[in-house]
Amino acid sequence: MDLVWARLSLCVMIAAAVMSGCSGSSSGEDGSKDSASAPVPSPSASSFPFPTLTPTGSPSPSGQALPVRVTKTYQGFVSGLDQVEKLLPPDPGLGASATEKVLYSLRQKTLLMTQFKGRTSAWCADGGVQLAAGKKTECTVKYDGVNVHWTVSVPSTYRESDFLVEYGVSAHGTTVLKSEAVYSRFWDGYHEPGWELRCDRMPAFKVVKVGEDTGYDCQFLNPHVSPAAWHNVSVRISETGVDFT
């Protein structure tokens, strides 16, 4: 997966603490959170694959309708950081260690990836994030019992005297598909007056691969165009959320 870059702001007190070794290598379900990274990007509906259609109207749409009609977003749907912050403990603040800040950021990113409420905890291998030029640290966020793996990368240009630490993160391995998250995201991104939205019947909870085709589709029908047809899109869970391609 491509790296997502963020910056970690370290005050003088934190810089001194980092030079002697970060403390607090994990972030629990009711423990501290990480305010390290730049704002986490929310999923954007602008990337959805809308075809170019000619308005004229047609009474009989082509294609086969999928079984689940999508009509709303569900309680627990996460569409942005405002909902994420309600699901996590308070921000640890400037006095937290670099590891605590990064772990909080990863918990944010995992909730934005799955786009649905869930219990999270997080930790890093080797006692915490290794702040050294070119270093990579493997960290894990447990989301409702499933381990979501993240690689934290410090660039080769890093210096211990840096006040702002730029670092990259990338998810790999498994993540979670929740049917209500997919239906909610599809409704949130696609619904228009008069349109009909449908999806495959999906399990309430399923472990899937990050960024890979889940094998499920959703579809939309605009009755005001010709020829009227169901337009299918495949479902993926990417680093930034539920995607339709």
PDB file of all heavy atoms in Angstrom, residues 38-77:
ATOM      1  N   ALA A  38      -0.987  14.666  11.203  1.00  0.00           N
ATOM      2  CA  ALA A  38      -1.802  15.682  10.563  1.00  0.00           C
ATOM      3  C   ALA A  38      -3.203  15.137  10.425  1.00  0.00           C
ATOM      4  O   ALA A  38      -3.433  13.943  10.585  1.00  0.00           O
ATOM      5  CB  ALA A  38      -1.220  16.019   9.194  1.00  0.00           C
ATOM      6  N   PRO A  39      -4.211  16.026  10.163  1.00  0.00           N
ATOM      7  CA  PRO A  39      -5.604  15.547  10.082  1.00  0.00           C
ATOM      8  C   PRO A  39      -5.735  14.353   9.150  1.00  0.00           C
ATOM      9  O   PRO A  39      -5.208  14.343   8.052  1.00  0.00           O
ATOM     10  CB  PRO A  39      -6.341  16.783   9.547  1.00  0.00           C
ATOM     11  CG  PRO A  39      -5.507  17.929   9.981  1.00  0.00           C
ATOM     12  CD  PRO A  39      -4.084  17.438   9.946  1.00  0.00           C
ATOM     13  N   VAL A  40      -6.451  13.336   9.654  1.00  0.00           N
ATOM     14  CA  VAL A  40      -6.634  12.128   8.857  1.00  0.00           C
ATOM     15  C   VAL A  40      -7.664  12.415   7.780  1.00  0.00           C
ATOM     16  O   VAL A  40      -8.739  12.937   8.055  1.00  0.00           O
ATOM     17  CB  VAL A  40      -7.130  10.980   9.751  1.00  0.00           C
ATOM     18  CG1 VAL A  40      -7.347   9.730   8.923  1.00  0.00           C
ATOM     19  CG2 VAL A  40      -6.134  10.735  10.864  1.00  0.00           C
ATOM     20  N   PRO A  41      -7.362  12.089   6.531  1.00  0.00           N
ATOM     21  CA  PRO A  41      -8.314  12.402   5.467  1.00  0.00           C
ATOM     22  C   PRO A  41      -9.568  11.560   5.574  1.00  0.00           C
ATOM     23  O   PRO A  41      -9.511  10.369   5.823  1.00  0.00           O
ATOM     24  CB  PRO A  41      -7.533  12.052   4.185  1.00  0.00           C
ATOM     25  CG  PRO A  41      -6.511  11.059   4.622  1.00  0.00           C
ATOM     26  CD  PRO A  41      -6.160  11.434   6.032  1.00  0.00           C
ATOM     27  N   SER A  42     -10.726  12.204   5.445  1.00  0.00           N
ATOM     28  CA  SER A  42     -11.985  11.479   5.416  1.00  0.00           C
ATOM     29  C   SER A  42     -12.231  10.980   4.010  1.00  0.00           C
ATOM     30  O   SER A  42     -11.773  11.569   3.035  1.00  0.00           O
ATOM     31  CB  SER A  42     -13.128  12.402   5.858  1.00  0.00           C
ATOM     32  OG  SER A  42     -12.922  12.817   7.185  1.00  0.00           O
ATOM     33  N   PRO A  43     -12.973   9.858   3.878  1.00  0.00           N
ATOM     34  CA  PRO A  43     -13.263   9.349   2.535  1.00  0.00           C
ATOM     35  C   PRO A  43     -14.016  10.379   1.719  1.00  0.00           C
ATOM     36  O   PRO A  43     -14.830  11.134   2.238  1.00  0.00           O
ATOM     37  CB  PRO A  43     -14.134   8.115   2.809  1.00  0.00           C
ATOM     38  CG  PRO A  43     -13.822   7.740   4.214  1.00  0.00           C
ATOM     39  CD  PRO A  43     -13.510   9.029   4.930  1.00  0.00           C
ATOM     40  N   SER A  44     -13.779  10.429   0.434  1.00  0.00           N
ATOM     41  CA  SER A  44     -14.405  11.418  -0.445  1.00  0.00           C
ATOM     42  C   SER A  44     -15.285  10.740  -1.484  1.00  0.00           C
ATOM     43  O   SER A  44     -14.864   9.818  -2.167  1.00  0.00           O
ATOM     44  CB  SER A  44     -13.320  12.234  -1.149  1.00  0.00           C
ATOM     45  OG  SER A  44     -13.898  13.042  -2.148  1.00  0.00           O
ATOM     46  N   ALA A  45     -16.515  11.210  -1.589  1.00  0.00           N
ATOM     47  CA  ALA A  45     -17.430  10.648  -2.587  1.00  0.00           C
ATOM     48  C   ALA A  45     -17.023  11.026  -4.001  1.00  0.00           C
ATOM     49  O   ALA A  45     -17.500  10.458  -4.965  1.00  0.00           O
ATOM     50  CB  ALA A  45     -18.854  11.131  -2.317  1.00  0.00           C
ATOM     51  N   SER A  46     -16.117  12.025  -4.139  1.00  0.00           N
ATOM     52  CA  SER A  46     -15.729  12.476  -5.471  1.00  0.00           C
ATOM     53  C   SER A  46     -14.991  11.405  -6.252  1.00  0.00           C
ATOM     54  O   SER A  46     -14.889  11.474  -7.466  1.00  0.00           O
ATOM     55  CB  SER A  46     -14.852  13.721  -5.355  1.00  0.00           C
ATOM     56  OG  SER A  46     -13.658  13.424  -4.671  1.00  0.00           O
ATOM     57  N   SER A  47     -14.476  10.385  -5.565  1.00  0.00           N
ATOM     58  CA  SER A  47     -13.737   9.335  -6.257  1.00  0.00           C
ATOM     59  C   SER A  47     -14.643   8.224  -6.768  1.00  0.00           C
ATOM     60  O   SER A  47     -14.173   7.288  -7.394  1.00  0.00           O
ATOM     61  CB  SER A  47     -12.691   8.737  -5.305  1.00  0.00           C
ATOM     62  OG  SER A  47     -13.313   8.147  -4.194  1.00  0.00           O
ATOM     63  N   PHE A  48     -15.941   8.304  -6.489  1.00  0.00           N
ATOM     64  CA  PHE A  48     -16.845   7.250  -6.897  1.00  0.00           C
ATOM     65  C   PHE A  48     -16.993   7.249  -8.417  1.00  0.00           C
ATOM     66  O   PHE A  48     -17.023   8.295  -9.063  1.00  0.00           O
ATOM     67  CB  PHE A  48     -18.218   7.433  -6.246  1.00  0.00           C
ATOM     68  CG  PHE A  48     -18.226   7.125  -4.780  1.00  0.00           C
ATOM     69  CD1 PHE A  48     -19.341   7.408  -4.012  1.00  0.00           C
ATOM     70  CD2 PHE A  48     -17.129   6.562  -4.152  1.00  0.00           C
ATOM     71  CE1 PHE A  48     -19.356   7.126  -2.656  1.00  0.00           C
ATOM     72  CE2 PHE A  48     -17.140   6.281  -2.804  1.00  0.00           C
ATOM     73  CZ  PHE A  48     -18.255   6.558  -2.060  1.00  0.00           C
ATOM     74  N   PRO A  49     -17.141   6.065  -9.019  1.00  0.00           N
ATOM     75  CA  PRO A  49     -17.158   5.954 -10.485  1.00  0.00           C
ATOM     76  C   PRO A  49     -18.526   6.182 -11.109  1.00  0.00           C
ATOM     77  O   PRO A  49     -19.215   5.253 -11.499  1.00  0.00           O
ATOM     78  CB  PRO A  49     -16.698   4.507 -10.710  1.00  0.00           C
ATOM     79  CG  PRO A  49     -17.208   3.779  -9.517  1.00  0.00           C
ATOM     80  CD  PRO A  49     -17.102   4.758  -8.366  1.00  0.00           C
ATOM     81  N   PHE A  50     -18.949   7.442 -11.223  1.00  0.00           N
ATOM     82  CA  PHE A  50     -20.207   7.735 -11.873  1.00  0.00           C
ATOM     83  C   PHE A  50     -20.014   7.736 -13.388  1.00  0.00           C
ATOM     84  O   PHE A  50     -19.118   8.401 -13.902  1.00  0.00           O
ATOM     85  CB  PHE A  50     -20.741   9.107 -11.451  1.00  0.00           C
ATOM     86  CG  PHE A  50     -21.270   9.137 -10.055  1.00  0.00           C
ATOM     87  CD1 PHE A  50     -20.475   9.591  -9.009  1.00  0.00           C
ATOM     88  CD2 PHE A  50     -22.546   8.704  -9.774  1.00  0.00           C
ATOM     89  CE1 PHE A  50     -20.961   9.622  -7.716  1.00  0.00           C
ATOM     90  CE2 PHE A  50     -23.041   8.733  -8.476  1.00  0.00           C
ATOM     91  CZ  PHE A  50     -22.252   9.194  -7.445  1.00  0.00           C
ATOM     92  N   PRO A  51     -20.847   6.996 -14.138  1.00  0.00           N
ATOM     93  CA  PRO A  51     -20.726   7.016 -15.597  1.00  0.00           C
ATOM     94  C   PRO A  51     -21.360   8.270 -16.186  1.00  0.00           C
ATOM     95  O   PRO A  51     -22.146   8.943 -15.531  1.00  0.00           O
ATOM     96  CB  PRO A  51     -21.507   5.767 -16.021  1.00  0.00           C
ATOM     97  CG  PRO A  51     -22.558   5.639 -14.964  1.00  0.00           C
ATOM     98  CD  PRO A  51     -21.893   6.094 -13.681  1.00  0.00           C
ATOM     99  N   THR A  52     -21.034   8.576 -17.420  1.00  0.00           N
ATOM    100  CA  THR A  52     -21.669   9.676 -18.133  1.00  0.00           C
ATOM    101  C   THR A  52     -22.975   9.170 -18.742  1.00  0.00           C
ATOM    102  O   THR A  52     -22.984   8.230 -19.530  1.00  0.00           O
ATOM    103  CB  THR A  52     -20.759  10.199 -19.256  1.00  0.00           C
ATOM    104  OG1 THR A  52     -19.541  10.630 -18.663  1.00  0.00           O
ATOM    105  CG2 THR A  52     -21.411  11.350 -19.999  1.00  0.00           C
ATOM    106  N   LEU A  53     -24.093   9.783 -18.340  1.00  0.00           N
ATOM    107  CA  LEU A  53     -25.406   9.309 -18.774  1.00  0.00           C
ATOM    108  C   LEU A  53     -26.167  10.445 -19.444  1.00  0.00           C
ATOM    109  O   LEU A  53     -25.999  11.615 -19.103  1.00  0.00           O
ATOM    110  CB  LEU A  53     -26.202   8.787 -17.564  1.00  0.00           C
ATOM    111  CG  LEU A  53     -25.524   7.653 -16.789  1.00  0.00           C
ATOM    112  CD1 LEU A  53     -26.311   7.340 -15.523  1.00  0.00           C
ATOM    113  CD2 LEU A  53     -25.417   6.399 -17.650  1.00  0.00           C
ATOM    114  N   THR A  54     -27.038  10.085 -20.381  1.00  0.00           N
ATOM    115  CA  THR A  54     -27.815  11.075 -21.115  1.00  0.00           C
ATOM    116  C   THR A  54     -29.245  11.099 -20.609  1.00  0.00           C
ATOM    117  O   THR A  54     -29.946  10.086 -20.685  1.00  0.00           O
ATOM    118  CB  THR A  54     -27.835  10.742 -22.621  1.00  0.00           C
ATOM    119  OG1 THR A  54     -26.503  10.636 -23.072  1.00  0.00           O
ATOM    120  CG2 THR A  54     -28.589  11.801 -23.400  1.00  0.00           C
ATOM    121  N   PRO A  55     -29.716  12.230 -20.026  1.00  0.00           N
ATOM    122  CA  PRO A  55     -31.076  12.278 -19.498  1.00  0.00           C
ATOM    123  C   PRO A  55     -32.123  12.210 -20.609  1.00  0.00           C
ATOM    124  O   PRO A  55     -32.122  13.027 -21.493  1.00  0.00           O
ATOM    125  CB  PRO A  55     -31.146  13.630 -18.789  1.00  0.00           C
ATOM    126  CG  PRO A  55     -29.787  14.226 -18.848  1.00  0.00           C
ATOM    127  CD  PRO A  55     -28.997  13.459 -19.836  1.00  0.00           C
ATOM    128  N   THR A  56     -32.977  11.196 -20.526  1.00  0.00           N
ATOM    129  CA  THR A  56     -34.149  11.117 -21.424  1.00  0.00           C
ATOM    130  C   THR A  56     -35.243  10.263 -20.813  1.00  0.00           C
ATOM    131  O   THR A  56     -36.406  10.503 -21.038  1.00  0.00           O
ATOM    132  CB  THR A  56     -33.790  10.539 -22.807  1.00  0.00           C
ATOM    133  OG1 THR A  56     -33.214   9.264 -22.635  1.00  0.00           O
ATOM    134  CG2 THR A  56     -32.872  11.455 -23.577  1.00  0.00           C
ATOM    135  N   GLY A  57     -34.863   9.221 -20.043  1.00  0.00           N
ATOM    136  CA  GLY A  57     -35.867   8.386 -19.423  1.00  0.00           C
ATOM    137  C   GLY A  57     -36.060   7.070 -20.145  1.00  0.00           C
ATOM    138  O   GLY A  57     -35.994   7.001 -21.354  1.00  0.00           O
ATOM    139  N   SER A  58     -36.304   5.991 -19.347  1.00  0.00           N
ATOM    140  CA  SER A  58     -36.530   4.661 -19.916  1.00  0.00           C
ATOM    141  C   SER A  58     -37.279   3.840 -18.900  1.00  0.00           C
ATOM    142  O   SER A  58     -36.914   3.811 -17.741  1.00  0.00           O
ATOM    143  CB  SER A  58     -35.195   3.994 -20.264  1.00  0.00           C
ATOM    144  OG  SER A  58     -35.406   2.693 -20.717  1.00  0.00           O
ATOM    145  N   PRO A  59     -38.374   3.139 -19.297  1.00  0.00           N
ATOM    146  CA  PRO A  59     -39.211   2.436 -18.333  1.00  0.00           C
ATOM    147  C   PRO A  59     -38.646   1.103 -17.858  1.00  0.00           C
ATOM    148  O   PRO A  59     -39.034   0.623 -16.806  1.00  0.00           O
ATOM    149  CB  PRO A  59     -40.516   2.228 -19.092  1.00  0.00           C
ATOM    150  CG  PRO A  59     -40.091   2.162 -20.529  1.00  0.00           C
ATOM    151  CD  PRO A  59     -38.922   3.095 -20.645  1.00  0.00           C
ATOM    152  N   SER A  60     -37.771   0.456 -18.612  1.00  0.00           N
ATOM    153  CA  SER A  60     -37.334  -0.900 -18.282  1.00  0.00           C
ATOM    154  C   SER A  60     -35.814  -0.969 -18.160  1.00  0.00           C
ATOM    155  O   SER A  60     -35.111  -1.078 -19.167  1.00  0.00           O
ATOM    156  CB  SER A  60     -37.804  -1.889 -19.357  1.00  0.00           C
ATOM    157  OG  SER A  60     -39.207  -1.843 -19.494  1.00  0.00           O
ATOM    158  N   PRO A  61     -35.287  -0.900 -16.941  1.00  0.00           N
ATOM    159  CA  PRO A  61     -33.827  -0.936 -16.775  1.00  0.00           C
ATOM    160  C   PRO A  61     -33.251  -2.300 -17.121  1.00  0.00           C
ATOM    161  O   PRO A  61     -33.863  -3.341 -16.873  1.00  0.00           O
ATOM    162  CB  PRO A  61     -33.634  -0.630 -15.285  1.00  0.00           C
ATOM    163  CG  PRO A  61     -34.908  -1.053 -14.643  1.00  0.00           C
ATOM    164  CD  PRO A  61     -35.986  -0.782 -15.650  1.00  0.00           C
ATOM    165  N   SER A  62     -32.070  -2.290 -17.720  1.00  0.00           N
ATOM    166  CA  SER A  62     -31.391  -3.542 -18.021  1.00  0.00           C
ATOM    167  C   SER A  62     -30.527  -3.949 -16.842  1.00  0.00           C
ATOM    168  O   SER A  62     -30.167  -3.129 -15.999  1.00  0.00           O
ATOM    169  CB  SER A  62     -30.517  -3.374 -19.266  1.00  0.00           C
ATOM    170  OG  SER A  62     -29.513  -2.394 -19.044  1.00  0.00           O
ATOM    171  N   GLY A  63     -30.179  -5.232 -16.786  1.00  0.00           N
ATOM    172  CA  GLY A  63     -29.375  -5.740 -15.685  1.00  0.00           C
ATOM    173  C   GLY A  63     -30.237  -6.325 -14.582  1.00  0.00           C
ATOM    174  O   GLY A  63     -31.459  -6.135 -14.554  1.00  0.00           O
ATOM    175  N   GLN A  64     -29.608  -7.041 -13.682  1.00  0.00           N
ATOM    176  CA  GLN A  64     -30.331  -7.707 -12.600  1.00  0.00           C
ATOM    177  C   GLN A  64     -30.152  -6.955 -11.298  1.00  0.00           C
ATOM    178  O   GLN A  64     -29.037  -6.598 -10.911  1.00  0.00           O
ATOM    179  CB  GLN A  64     -29.810  -9.144 -12.433  1.00  0.00           C
ATOM    180  CG  GLN A  64     -30.580  -9.952 -11.389  1.00  0.00           C
ATOM    181  CD  GLN A  64     -30.156 -11.402 -11.377  1.00  0.00           C
ATOM    182  OE1 GLN A  64     -29.332 -11.825 -12.183  1.00  0.00           O
ATOM    183  NE2 GLN A  64     -30.726 -12.175 -10.458  1.00  0.00           N
ATOM    184  N   ALA A  65     -31.269  -6.719 -10.605  1.00  0.00           N
ATOM    185  CA  ALA A  65     -31.228  -5.992  -9.341  1.00  0.00           C
ATOM    186  C   ALA A  65     -30.634  -6.875  -8.238  1.00  0.00           C
ATOM    187  O   ALA A  65     -30.974  -8.053  -8.121  1.00  0.00           O
ATOM    188  CB  ALA A  65     -32.626  -5.538  -8.950  1.00  0.00           C
ATOM    189  N   LEU A  66     -29.742  -6.298  -7.426  1.00  0.00           N
ATOM    190  CA  LEU A  66     -29.175  -7.004  -6.279  1.00  0.00           C
ATOM    191  C   LEU A  66     -30.206  -7.075  -5.150  1.00  0.00           C
ATOM    192  O   LEU A  66     -31.161  -6.286  -5.116  1.00  0.00           O
ATOM    193  CB  LEU A  66     -27.899  -6.294  -5.816  1.00  0.00           C
ATOM    194  CG  LEU A  66     -26.745  -6.296  -6.836  1.00  0.00           C
ATOM    195  CD1 LEU A  66     -25.561  -5.482  -6.319  1.00  0.00           C
ATOM    196  CD2 LEU A  66     -26.312  -7.713  -7.178  1.00  0.00           C
ATOM    197  N   PRO A  67     -30.048  -8.002  -4.198  1.00  0.00           N
ATOM    198  CA  PRO A  67     -31.142  -8.303  -3.259  1.00  0.00           C
ATOM    199  C   PRO A  67     -31.414  -7.273  -2.175  1.00  0.00           C
ATOM    200  O   PRO A  67     -32.545  -7.199  -1.673  1.00  0.00           O
ATOM    201  CB  PRO A  67     -30.693  -9.629  -2.626  1.00  0.00           C
ATOM    202  CG  PRO A  67     -29.211  -9.660  -2.787  1.00  0.00           C
ATOM    203  CD  PRO A  67     -28.939  -8.963  -4.082  1.00  0.00           C
ATOM    204  N   VAL A  68     -30.429  -6.479  -1.757  1.00  0.00           N
ATOM    205  CA  VAL A  68     -30.626  -5.597  -0.600  1.00  0.00           C
ATOM    206  C   VAL A  68     -30.834  -4.164  -1.075  1.00  0.00           C
ATOM    207  O   VAL A  68     -29.947  -3.566  -1.701  1.00  0.00           O
ATOM    208  CB  VAL A  68     -29.424  -5.655   0.358  1.00  0.00           C
ATOM    209  CG1 VAL A  68     -29.620  -4.675   1.520  1.00  0.00           C
ATOM    210  CG2 VAL A  68     -29.227  -7.070   0.873  1.00  0.00           C
ATOM    211  N   ARG A  69     -31.987  -3.621  -0.775  1.00  0.00           N
ATOM    212  CA  ARG A  69     -32.256  -2.218  -1.113  1.00  0.00           C
ATOM    213  C   ARG A  69     -31.637  -1.326  -0.032  1.00  0.00           C
ATOM    214  O   ARG A  69     -31.868  -1.536   1.166  1.00  0.00           O
ATOM    215  CB  ARG A  69     -33.753  -1.961  -1.220  1.00  0.00           C
ATOM    216  CG  ARG A  69     -34.079  -0.572  -1.749  1.00  0.00           C
ATOM    217  CD  ARG A  69     -35.558  -0.382  -1.971  1.00  0.00           C
ATOM    218  NE  ARG A  69     -35.844   0.919  -2.546  1.00  0.00           N
ATOM    219  CZ  ARG A  69     -37.055   1.390  -2.765  1.00  0.00           C
ATOM    220  NH1 ARG A  69     -38.120   0.634  -2.461  1.00  0.00           N
ATOM    221  NH2 ARG A  69     -37.235   2.583  -3.293  1.00  0.00           N
ATOM    222  N   VAL A  70     -30.883  -0.343  -0.447  1.00  0.00           N
ATOM    223  CA  VAL A  70     -30.191   0.560   0.484  1.00  0.00           C
ATOM    224  C   VAL A  70     -30.978   1.859   0.568  1.00  0.00           C
ATOM    225  O   VAL A  70     -31.204   2.528  -0.446  1.00  0.00           O
ATOM    226  CB  VAL A  70     -28.749   0.836   0.003  1.00  0.00           C
ATOM    227  CG1 VAL A  70     -28.053   1.820   0.945  1.00  0.00           C
ATOM    228  CG2 VAL A  70     -27.969  -0.465  -0.090  1.00  0.00           C
ATOM    229  N   THR A  71     -31.388   2.223   1.804  1.00  0.00           N
ATOM    230  CA  THR A  71     -32.284   3.371   1.967  1.00  0.00           C
ATOM    231  C   THR A  71     -31.836   4.370   3.030  1.00  0.00           C
ATOM    232  O   THR A  71     -32.510   5.378   3.231  1.00  0.00           O
ATOM    233  CB  THR A  71     -33.689   2.880   2.351  1.00  0.00           C
ATOM    234  OG1 THR A  71     -33.617   2.149   3.588  1.00  0.00           O
ATOM    235  CG2 THR A  71     -34.274   1.986   1.263  1.00  0.00           C
ATOM    236  N   LYS A  72     -30.708   4.114   3.701  1.00  0.00           N
ATOM    237  CA  LYS A  72     -30.348   4.995   4.814  1.00  0.00           C
ATOM    238  C   LYS A  72     -28.915   4.716   5.260  1.00  0.00           C
ATOM    239  O   LYS A  72     -28.272   3.757   4.817  1.00  0.00           O
ATOM    240  CB  LYS A  72     -31.283   4.758   5.999  1.00  0.00           C
ATOM    241  CG  LYS A  72     -31.164   3.342   6.578  1.00  0.00           C
ATOM    242  CD  LYS A  72     -32.072   3.128   7.775  1.00  0.00           C
ATOM    243  CE  LYS A  72     -31.906   1.709   8.348  1.00  0.00           C
ATOM    244  NZ  LYS A  72     -32.763   1.499   9.536  1.00  0.00           N
ATOM    245  N   THR A  73     -28.420   5.574   6.167  1.00  0.00           N
ATOM    246  CA  THR A  73     -27.198   5.268   6.901  1.00  0.00           C
ATOM    247  C   THR A  73     -27.602   4.682   8.257  1.00  0.00           C
ATOM    248  O   THR A  73     -28.681   4.983   8.777  1.00  0.00           O
ATOM    249  CB  THR A  73     -26.340   6.528   7.130  1.00  0.00           C
ATOM    250  OG1 THR A  73     -27.098   7.490   7.865  1.00  0.00           O
ATOM    251  CG2 THR A  73     -25.892   7.133   5.811  1.00  0.00           C
ATOM    252  N   TYR A  74     -26.739   3.852   8.804  1.00  0.00           N
ATOM    253  CA  TYR A  74     -27.040   3.167  10.065  1.00  0.00           C
ATOM    254  C   TYR A  74     -26.323   3.834  11.231  1.00  0.00           C
ATOM    255  O   TYR A  74     -25.240   4.408  11.063  1.00  0.00           O
ATOM    256  CB  TYR A  74     -26.617   1.699   9.987  1.00  0.00           C
ATOM    257  CG  TYR A  74     -27.489   0.867   9.083  1.00  0.00           C
ATOM    258  CD1 TYR A  74     -27.280   0.852   7.704  1.00  0.00           C
ATOM    259  CD2 TYR A  74     -28.529   0.100   9.601  1.00  0.00           C
ATOM    260  CE1 TYR A  74     -28.079   0.091   6.865  1.00  0.00           C
ATOM    261  CE2 TYR A  74     -29.334  -0.659   8.770  1.00  0.00           C
ATOM    262  CZ  TYR A  74     -29.115  -0.658   7.404  1.00  0.00           C
ATOM    263  OH  TYR A  74     -29.913  -1.406   6.579  1.00  0.00           O
ATOM    264  N   GLN A  75     -26.948   3.733  12.402  1.00  0.00           N
ATOM    265  CA  GLN A  75     -26.313   4.253  13.605  1.00  0.00           C
ATOM    266  C   GLN A  75     -24.997   3.517  13.833  1.00  0.00           C
ATOM    267  O   GLN A  75     -24.952   2.283  13.778  1.00  0.00           O
ATOM    268  CB  GLN A  75     -27.221   4.073  14.823  1.00  0.00           C
ATOM    269  CG  GLN A  75     -26.670   4.694  16.093  1.00  0.00           C
ATOM    270  CD  GLN A  75     -27.659   4.600  17.246  1.00  0.00           C
ATOM    271  OE1 GLN A  75     -28.749   4.048  17.099  1.00  0.00           O
ATOM    272  NE2 GLN A  75     -27.280   5.135  18.392  1.00  0.00           N
ATOM    273  N   GLY A  76     -23.941   4.273  14.068  1.00  0.00           N
ATOM    274  CA  GLY A  76     -22.615   3.690  14.213  1.00  0.00           C
ATOM    275  C   GLY A  76     -21.727   3.942  13.012  1.00  0.00           C
ATOM    276  O   GLY A  76     -20.516   3.698  13.065  1.00  0.00           O
ATOM    277  N   PHE A  77     -22.315   4.454  11.912  1.00  0.00           N
ATOM    278  CA  PHE A  77     -21.537   4.783  10.713  1.00  0.00           C
ATOM    279  C   PHE A  77     -20.572   5.918  11.016  1.00  0.00           C
ATOM    280  O   PHE A  77     -20.925   6.907  11.648  1.00  0.00           O
ATOM    281  CB  PHE A  77     -22.490   5.189   9.588  1.00  0.00           C
ATOM    282  CG  PHE A  77     -21.812   5.694   8.340  1.00  0.00           C
ATOM    283  CD1 PHE A  77     -20.862   4.927   7.689  1.00  0.00           C
ATOM    284  CD2 PHE A  77     -22.146   6.941   7.817  1.00  0.00           C
ATOM    285  CE1 PHE A  77     -20.245   5.396   6.530  1.00  0.00           C
ATOM    286  CE2 PHE A  77     -21.552   7.404   6.663  1.00  0.00           C
ATOM    287  CZ  PHE A  77     -20.590   6.634   6.013  1.00  0.00           C
TER     288      PHE A  77
END
